[in-house]
């Protein structure tokens, strides 16, 4: 039976931390000022990045630079052929890139809180086509008047850019707290974004990490947003359990926890910010309040969601603590299991909430102090919150035991890279700058693996183990993947400040 709180002898733990030298590793994270480089330093043991130009493992493909000179780009979305917007995390700017050139004036410049994982995070733009869909409240305006909506998710500052002063990830100095993590809808009016409409106002305090940030428009024309649980348990914030933290929540599978606030899940709303009707009632879990806007919960943090173009099913990536990065098939009402399960393993004590293990290599789920990996043994699910039977847990479809800082997920609904990649799944990571490729089975519910992956898991970060799924290397921290109107795959590199496009070598 898994307990709802995690308690142990703090004195013994402190001794172990001293013995292990964890404080040394821990102090390193203070010196990393970069967005996810701070976040993921505590998450993984990286394999060596490929220096210089990114490399695609298919000799018939290559990556070319579309634009460079961006400052910490997080996400991108297309307006049309050779015309897209890019978000800059720390500046709060939405920049337009037309034919490879950054427009002199940004479409939007708002004041953002940008400590740790806060900032200008996610963007989605509906396609102006003839798709129909119930719950699309503004369809006539959108199509008849040729309005272009741009949905933006960011941490709105209470002052200037970077006004928030957060010595710890779960504490900011009084008076510097952001207004909120907010989802807005804007109208594109020629060279600017105008008429902001606030759709979601989610809590931004007390923590500055685990905010999620991926935004997509579903085939039903509704808006889907990933949100994190709000606390990475860094800086010993969970040493005495989670009762006094934001993790003490029903959406983190704490039965007696606080009511949902919008954290730790995937939210779904109409393009006007309303709950979506589900089988004659608004919302899956409840008809009122923020719970009516949850599509999934039990998610530690996620930077990647996309819909399968063939099945219409939603998939996501999820970041584990020191182990268990995931790819999930997300059905309505999905419960990913956090804080009781991560990967296929039980969270049986609070040290497993830490973003790093207590002993080298600080990553991976291990048996005691030896180097053997635990195989999946099944987890008692009786303690999982199910919201009157509406929530349903299922195991991940793929796991990295040793975390890679998994980020974006995208289906390539195009044959421009060859028929063998058409409608396949591509996933990125931050720690190594890698791209991964996955085939799906006929009914599009499982990932299909060739030699080298036998249990839907890679156990280490050794290249020979990653090779069966490794598609590209050397992108130096990927925060988004998109498919352009031209059918090619675009890659956003946060650290390099570049956007790449993957193309056949034959058309260079």
């Amino acid at each position: 039976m898994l307990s709802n709180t995690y308690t142990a002898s703090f004195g013994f733990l402190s001794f172990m931390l001293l013995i292990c030298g964890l404080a040394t590793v821990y102090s390193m994270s203070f010196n990393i000022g970069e967005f996810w480089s701070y976040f993921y330093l505590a998450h993984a043991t990286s394999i060596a990045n490929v220096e210089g130009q990114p490399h695609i493992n298919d000799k018939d493909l290559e990556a070319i630079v579309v634009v460079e000179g961006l400052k910490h780009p997080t996400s991108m979305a297309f307006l049309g052929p050779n015309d897209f917007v890019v978000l800059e995390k720390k500046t709060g700017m939405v920049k337009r890139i037309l034919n490879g050139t950054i427009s002199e004036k940004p479409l939007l410049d708002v004041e953002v809180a940008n400590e740790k994982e806060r900032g200008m995070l996610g963007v989605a733009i509906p396609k102006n086509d003839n798709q129909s869909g119930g719950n699309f409240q503004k369809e006539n305006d959108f199509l008849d008047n040729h309005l272009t909506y741009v949905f933006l998710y960011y941490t709105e500052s209470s002052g200037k850019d970077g006004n928030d002063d957060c010595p710890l990830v779960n504490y900011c100095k009084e008076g510097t707290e952001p207004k909120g993590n907010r989802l807005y809808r804007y109208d594109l009016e020629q060279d600017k974004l105008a008429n902001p409409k606030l759709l979601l106002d989610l809590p931004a305090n007390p923590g500055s990490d685990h905010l999620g940030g991926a935004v997509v428009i579903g085939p039903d024309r509704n808006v889907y947003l990933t949100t994190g649980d709000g606390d990475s348990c860094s800086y010993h914030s969970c040493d005495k359990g989670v009762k006094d933290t934001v993790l003490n929540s029903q959406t983190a599978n704490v039965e007696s926890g606080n009511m949902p606030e919008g954290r730790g899940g995937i939210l779904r709303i109409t393009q006007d910010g309303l709950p979506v009707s589900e089988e004659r009632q608004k919302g899956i879990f409840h008809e009122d309040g923020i719970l009516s806007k949850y599509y999934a919960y039990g998610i530690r943090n996620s930077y990647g969601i996309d819909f399968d173009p063939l099945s219409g099913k939603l998939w996501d990536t999820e970041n584990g603590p020191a182990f268990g990065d995931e790819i999930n098939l997300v059905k309505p009402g999905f419960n990913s299991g956090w804080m009781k399960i991560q990967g296929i393993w039980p969270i049986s004590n609070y040290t497993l909430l830490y973003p790093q293990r207590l002993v080298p290599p600080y990553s991976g789920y291990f048996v005691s102090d030896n180097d053997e990996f635990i195989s999946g043994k099944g987890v008692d699910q009786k303690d999982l919150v199910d919201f009157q039977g509406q929530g349903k847990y299922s195991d991940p479809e793929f796991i990295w035991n040793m975390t890679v800082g998994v980020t974006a997920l995208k289906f390539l609904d195009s044959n421009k890279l060859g028929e063998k990649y058409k409608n396949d799944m591509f996933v990125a990571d931050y720690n190594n700058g890698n791209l991964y490729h996955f085939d799906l089975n006929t009914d599009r519910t499982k990932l299909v693996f060739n030699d080298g992956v036998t249990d839907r898991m890679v156990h280490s970060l050794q290249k020979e183990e990653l090779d069966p799924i490794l598609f590209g290397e050397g992108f130096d921290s990927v925060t988004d993947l998109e498919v352009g109107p031209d059918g090619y795959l675009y890659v956003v590199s946060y650290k390099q400040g570049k956007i790449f496009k993957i193309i056949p070598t034959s058309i260079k």
Side-chain angles (χ1 to χ4, degrees), residues 228-424:
D229 63 14
D231 191 340
S232 65
C233 288
S234 298
Y235 307 104
H236 304 285
S237 65
C238 301
D239 281 357
K240 297 181 180 180
V242 301
K243 184 177 180 181
D244 296 324
T245 76
V246 296
L247 297 178
N248 184 31
S249 172
Q250 293 175 9
T251 52
N253 286 290
V254 180
E255 185 71 50
S256 61
N258 298 322
M259 292 294 292
E261 296 182 303
R263 294 185 172 100
I266 298 173
L267 305 183
R268 176 185 63 172
I269 57 174
T270 70
Q271 294 192 22
D272 279 339
L274 302 175
V276 176
S277 296
E278 186 79 23
E279 296 183 359
R280 299 184 180 181
Q281 77 169 28
K282 290 183 178 179
I284 297 169
F285 304 105
H286 202 273
E287 292 193 358
D288 301 308
I290 190 64
L291 189 54
S292 68
K293 298 176 180 179
Y294 272 87
Y295 186 83
Y297 65 102
I299 294 173
R300 183 176 181 270
N301 204 25
S302 173
Y303 297 109
I305 50 174
D306 196 24
F307 285 89
D308 185 334
L310 298 185
S311 71
K313 293 181 173 68
L314 181 64
W315 292 72
D316 81 349
T317 62
E318 183 177 346
N319 302 105
F323 60 92
D325 282 356
E326 301 176 359
I327 297 175
N328 292 291
L329 174 60
V330 183
K331 297 179 181 179
F334 173 64
N335 178 2
S336 191
W338 181 255
M339 277 185 318
K340 300 295 176 60
I341 306 169
Q342 186 64 30
I344 53 174
W345 302 289
I347 307 296
S348 54
N349 66 80
Y350 75 93
T351 66
L352 294 175
L353 301 176
Y354 290 165
Q356 60 202 33
R357 297 301 307 275
L358 302 181
V359 295
Y362 307 112
S363 182
Y365 197 105
F366 299 98
V367 179
S368 187
D369 295 327
N370 62 43
D371 292 332
E372 294 182 9
F373 288 94
I374 288 182
S375 59
K377 296 181 179 179
V379 176
D380 186 351
Q381 299 176 25
K382 291 187 295 184
D383 284 344
L384 297 181
V385 174
D386 65 5
F387 295 106
Q388 293 75 50
Q390 299 303 307
K392 304 294 183 184
Y393 172 80
S394 61
D395 285 333
E397 300 304 325
F398 184 76
I399 300 169
W400 289 264
N401 182 29
M402 303 184 75
T403 52
V404 295
V406 62
T407 53
L409 182 154
K410 197 69 184 175
F411 285 92
L412 182 69
D413 54 344
S414 161
N415 63 359
K416 288 297 186 72
L417 300 186
E419 288 293 332
K420 64 182 177 180
Y421 297 118
K422 185 177 180 181
N423 296 316
D424 286 357

Side-chain angles (χ1 to χ4, degrees), residues 65-73 82-88 91 93-108 191 496-499:
V65 176
V66 175
V67 65
E68 54 189 333
L70 298 165
K71 297 179 180 179
H72 308 109
N82 300 311
D83 186 3
F84 56 87
V85 301
V86 180
L87 311 188
E88 291 186 340
T91 67
M93 292 186 185
V94 180
K95 293 187 173 180
R96 189 171 189 170
I97 315 297
L98 188 59
N99 295 318
T101 300
I102 303 174
S103 297
E104 183 176 346
K105 183 180 179 181
L107 290 176
L108 182 72
D191 60 350
Q496 292 190 23
K498 297 177 181 179
I499 293 178

